[in-house]
Amino acid sequence: MPTIRQHPNDPALRSFVDVRKESHFPIQNLPFGIFSTASNPARRAGVAIGDWILDIALLEQAGLLAIHPDPVFSKTTLNDFLALGRPRWVAARERISELLRHDNPALQDNQPLRAQALHPMAEATLHLPAAVSGFSDFLLSKEHATNCIDIVGGAKDGKLWPNWHHLPMGYNSRASSVVVSGTPVRRPSGQLKGKTDEAPHFGVCAQLDFELETALVIGKPNEQGTPIALADVEEHAFGIVLLNDWSARDIQQWEAQPLGVFNSKNFATSISPWIVTLDALEPFRVAGPEQDPAPLPYLRQSGKCNIDAQVEAAIWPQGAARPSTVCRSELKTIYWSFAQQLVHQTSAGCNVQPGDLLGSGTVSSSAPGSLACLFEVTRDGSQRFELEQGGSRMYLEDGDQVTLTGWCQGDGYRVGFGHCEGRIIPAW
């Protein structure tokens, strides 16, 4: 065992696994996911370290990672592990960090076990990290909300809805069509009605869009009827993933009144395969924007409540030599925090389950080039976006691959979220 105990977030930590400086997965990260391999098709839990996956189900079986009397890492999802709560999450990450340290011989010098436990990530298949029973999507970015209200012809003076500054707006979406990164996204069809059409018709979506988002992943559940207080959020909130909440804008504009979006959003939502723990993100916490007026007491918070992460979105047309970056934004600019969205969702007594997702909504900011969906970039198709490799887009075309990524920059290392990708395939 290491002779000196070090915190898993210590920038000085080094792993015996070689990790590139620009990698999203240094020893200071250690995100959790579910994977399988050609040699072992069973789905099981793993942790990303550099370009490798550490098979923590195998380490659990070998007696090197015993955090619970019952095995939790050999399951096909992380739900059982998520339900254990924060003390077990912390214990697991600390133990995995110890086993991967350059000065710990327990795994490093056990060549047979080491050979079985480390798998090249490029040769593995990544799966949904958790079974998602609930998915809510919020509108945490003030810039995105302001831009949208302006584009659709709302208030021109920057004013938002009267309730916007008093609560984190959200709606209960569906979980059945949440898919892992790399899953193709089929262009949807639905009811359409153009501005000059006398009546709607059923047809193929022509205004397919992406949304650059993140999502909070729930760990420990709460009981129905028992709200989660701000002081208790970290007992229930496990980590963060990237999320692309694909949107059919032309279907949306016809169906949205009066109850809101439905088929325009329910055909697919993509998430990244690695859940980055809130513990790994702790060094990157910063204060969020000033909230004026002050929220009601149950939502009132102070201190470092946001995360300083850069997030990006790119379009890679089929056959193109390289992708084109569409936006670069900052997660720290969101007006409402992840903690506030969880508190508000449960404030009426709603219960959340392990693996549930609370989406941030589109993460646009005020900096140039930070508009995080094509609806904003093209002002709902009124101006074209020029791709870096030639050509342009109003909305997504068949064959386009959208890639989301994001990371927090540390001192000589990155704690990243990996990638969330999806390629558009034609409608049925």
Side-chain angles (χ1 to χ4, degrees):
M1 297 294 295
T3 55
I4 301 176
R5 187 177 181 83
Q6 289 177 276
H7 193 279
N9 293 342
D10 190 336
L13 279 180
R14 291 189 295 115
S15 172
F16 68 80
V17 178
D18 185 44
V19 178
R20 294 174 290 110
K21 186 177 181 180
E22 67 275 14
S23 172
H24 284 202
F25 307 127
I27 194 172
Q28 291 82 3
N29 190 347
L30 305 180
F32 291 81
I34 295 291
F35 78 107
S36 62
T37 56
S39 60
N40 182 0
R43 298 188 183 190
R44 57 211 189 269
V47 161
I49 177 71
D51 297 325
W52 298 80
I53 299 174
L54 179 67
D55 188 335
I56 56 176
L58 181 63
L59 298 186
E60 184 180 55
Q61 294 167 12
L64 291 180
L65 186 58
I67 65 161
H68 191 264
D70 300 319
V72 292
F73 294 128
S74 59
K75 306 295 179 66
T76 58
T77 70
L78 290 169
N79 292 59
D80 285 0
F81 171 58
L82 300 180
L84 294 179
R86 180 170 174 77
R88 300 292 174 86
W89 307 338
V90 171
R93 183 167 175 261
E94 288 181 348
R95 179 57 176 153
I96 294 166
S97 177
E98 289 178 355
L99 291 171
L100 286 170
R101 280 178 54 165
H102 77 286
D103 56 354
N104 187 347
L107 178 60
Q108 181 177 193
D109 293 350
N110 187 337
Q111 292 298 333
L113 181 60
R114 175 177 168 179
Q116 294 180 64
L118 286 168
H119 304 270
M121 194 178 300
E123 299 176 10
T125 300
L126 300 176
H127 305 278
L128 273 178
V132 183
S133 62
F135 167 40
S136 300
D137 203 26
F138 284 76
L139 185 58
L140 303 185
S141 165
K142 184 175 182 178
E143 290 80 5
H144 176 62
T146 303
N147 291 338
C148 289
I149 219 172
D150 174 56
I151 292 169
V152 300
K156 299 295 184 181
D157 55 3
K159 289 186 178 179
L160 295 171
W161 305 276
N163 58 350
W164 200 89
H165 288 92
H166 295 276
L167 55 84
M169 285 185 169
Y171 69 98
N172 290 308
S173 190
R174 45 58 250 176
S176 59
S177 52
V178 174
V179 295
V180 73
S181 172
T183 305
V185 174
R186 188 171 297 278
R187 182 178 296 273
S189 296
Q191 280 201 27
L192 307 165
K193 185 181 181 298
K195 294 179 180 179
T196 61
D197 294 340
E198 292 185 2
H201 66 280
F202 190 87
V204 175
C205 165
Q207 298 178 349
L208 184 56
D209 201 357
F210 70 87
E211 291 183 345
L212 171 57
E213 301 191 30
T214 57
L216 183 68
V217 181
I218 301 302
K220 182 181 178 181
N222 66 311
E223 292 185 7
Q224 187 173 359
T226 306
I228 295 174
L230 275 172
D232 299 324
V233 162
E234 293 191 16
E235 300 300 317
H236 300 271
F238 179 73
I240 304 293
V241 293
L242 298 168
L243 183 145
N244 185 345
D245 202 21
W246 307 91
S247 295
R249 301 298 186 187
D250 44 2
I251 298 174
Q252 180 177 346
Q253 67 182 5
W254 169 240
E255 74 172 10
Q257 302 299 328
L259 291 181
V261 295
F262 188 56
N263 286 333
S264 57
K265 301 281 284 186
N266 69 9
F267 56 96
T269 296
S270 302
I271 66 170
S272 51
W274 297 108
I275 307 176
V276 179
T277 64
L278 291 184
D279 287 320
L281 296 170
E282 180 66 30
F284 308 101
R285 294 199 179 196
V286 293
E290 179 184 0
Q291 295 183 332
D292 184 22
L296 294 174
Y298 79 101
L299 288 171
R300 201 167 296 166
Q301 61 182 10
S302 61
K304 298 180 178 181
C305 303
N306 281 18
I307 298 169
D308 186 7
Q310 178 171 318
V311 288
E312 300 182 355
I315 296 174
W316 195 331
Q318 194 164 31
R322 64 185 186 280
S324 291
T325 299
V326 179
C327 84
R328 293 186 174 94
S329 189
E330 294 180 302
L331 191 57
K332 68 181 180 182
T333 64
I334 57 175
Y335 186 88
W336 296 101
S337 71
F338 292 117
Q340 288 173 317
Q341 68 175 167
L342 176 56
V343 167
H344 185 64
Q345 168 133 345
T346 63
S347 61
C350 175
N351 55 317
V352 290
Q353 301 292 332
D356 281 2
L357 299 171
L358 275 60
S360 63
T362 306
V363 184
S364 298
S365 61
S366 59
S370 67
L371 303 180
C373 63
L374 289 175
F375 179 80
E376 291 179 82
V377 171
T378 70
R379 295 192 64 81
D380 193 19
S382 66
Q383 58 192 33
R384 302 193 72 86
F385 173 75
E386 300 298 324
L387 301 174
E388 296 171 13
Q389 72 272 48
S392 62
R393 289 290 184 274
M394 291 286 201
Y395 283 104
L396 296 172
E397 298 182 1
D398 290 350
D400 284 349
Q401 176 175 289
V402 176
T403 300
L404 312 183
T405 191
W407 64 88
C408 303
Q409 186 61 53
D411 183 11
Y413 69 97
R414 286 180 173 178
V415 169
F417 304 97
H419 295 87
C420 179
E421 299 176 342
R423 185 175 296 279
I424 306 303
I425 59 177
W428 287 108

